[in-house]
Amino acid sequence: MLKTNQLVKVFRTDEIETTALNKVDLEVQKGEFVAVMGPSGCGKSTLLNIIGLLDNPTSGELFFDGTEVSKFKERQRTELRKANVGFVFQSFNLIDELTVFENVELPLLYLKVSSSERKKKVEEVLDRMKIAHRRKHFPQQLSGGQQQRVAIARAVVANPKLILADEPTGNLDSANGEEVMKLLSELNKEGTTIVMVTHSPSDAEYSHRIVQLFDGHIVTENIKKIL
């Protein structure tokens, strides 16, 4: 599903040049659950932003579902991302002014799904995430664990091929964090490809493979279980 070839990302200012990714070669197969680990500043989130089509690399190639997309313009990336990628963030990134239902509905609005179909899909995913009883509440009325359930519901409501999770349990206590990881694991077992950035060894245990980044390089890859 994903393949990078000699991927480089350089950030430049007037005074300094920083290489965040340095000739990264990575493949992620359809249905795989990959954890990306490494110290702060090693390039984990930069890699996630590029494979999630939020940014282009400075050089190298990125293949998404067999199509080379590294030179795509922003509009092309946006269209591909809307239809194929769901995001789960440490900070939840919910919109405070929208209810739970409206937050989860947003990706379907962008995809111009009909009103009746949106209602059906949102209600189904809220039931699945065990958060339907909070459908009319606003994010600030929810606990951290509930907010992350809503964020996962929003990420999966359009049935994306790929979920990208950036420290999905970082703002949660251990019990809620474990629940979130179980949800992601269930989604993966049903066929969704997941790439997760994490500092947590226990979260990484849910993955099939752990990729270690250091100073913009992949230094090790450990296959944990056979798909």
Side-chain angles (χ1 to χ4, degrees):
M1 166 167 281
L2 289 171
K3 181 180 179 180
T4 72
N5 180 32
Q6 297 288 286
L7 206 66
V8 173
K9 182 63 178 182
V10 178
F11 295 101
R12 295 183 177 92
T13 66
D14 289 340
E15 287 119 19
I16 195 166
E17 180 176 286
T18 303
T19 301
L21 296 174
N22 193 356
K23 298 182 179 179
V24 170
D25 293 329
L26 175 68
E27 284 194 54
V28 178
Q29 303 297 326
K30 182 178 180 182
E32 198 173 8
F33 189 159
V34 176
V36 181
M37 302 188 74
S40 296
C42 71
K44 301 187 301 296
S45 293
T46 300
L47 178 62
L48 213 64
N49 285 341
I50 290 174
I51 64 177
L53 306 168
L54 293 170
D55 198 5
N56 277 342
T58 304
S59 64
E61 296 175 312
L62 169 64
F63 293 87
F64 190 100
D65 240 6
T67 301
E68 211 286 311
V69 300
S70 64
K71 305 298 189 297
F72 270 25
K73 303 295 185 186
E74 185 173 353
R75 179 177 290 183
Q76 292 174 293
R77 293 202 314 270
T78 299
E79 291 304 312
L80 187 60
R81 185 174 66 245
K82 283 194 303 186
N84 293 285
V85 185
F87 292 89
V88 180
F89 300 97
Q90 176 178 348
S91 56
F92 316 132
N93 284 19
L94 300 176
I95 298 174
D96 289 341
E97 294 77 19
L98 300 181
T99 64
V100 164
F101 186 98
E102 291 165 339
N103 266 283
V104 176
E105 185 184 31
L106 264 182
L108 302 178
L109 286 168
Y110 294 144
L111 292 170
K112 300 180 180 176
V113 176
S114 69
S115 176
S116 59
E117 187 68 12
R118 290 200 308 271
K119 185 173 186 292
K120 177 185 174 185
K121 285 180 176 290
V122 173
E123 288 181 346
E124 284 176 352
V125 76
L126 289 178
D127 278 337
R128 179 173 184 189
M129 297 297 155
K130 299 181 175 60
I131 199 72
H133 62 295
R134 298 286 195 178
R135 65 198 303 278
K136 294 183 180 179
H137 287 70
F138 292 90
Q140 296 307 313
Q141 297 173 300
L142 307 178
S143 69
Q146 289 171 332
Q147 288 188 61
Q148 195 61 294
R149 284 176 178 272
V150 175
I152 293 173
R154 181 185 58 190
V156 304
V157 70
N159 296 316
K161 295 178 180 177
L162 173 67
I163 290 179
L164 300 178
D166 194 352
E167 299 284 1
T169 68
N171 282 336
L172 303 177
D173 60 39
S174 58
N176 278 308
E178 186 176 353
E179 284 299 311
V180 164
M181 289 310 304
K182 286 179 179 177
L183 284 172
L184 291 175
S185 184
E186 286 171 16
L187 291 166
N188 174 249
K189 287 173 183 173
E190 292 168 8
T192 304
T193 306
I194 299 178
V195 179
M196 174 182 69
V197 161
T198 183
H199 280 102
S200 167
S202 60
D203 287 359
E205 282 299 311
Y206 286 86
S207 71
H208 303 130
R209 177 160 54 106
I210 298 173
V211 175
Q212 291 278 356
L213 274 182
F214 187 78
D215 286 349
H217 297 274
I218 291 178
V219 291
T220 60
E221 292 190 52
N222 299 319
I223 297 173
K224 295 175 55 277
K225 61 186 83 167
I226 296 174
L227 293 177

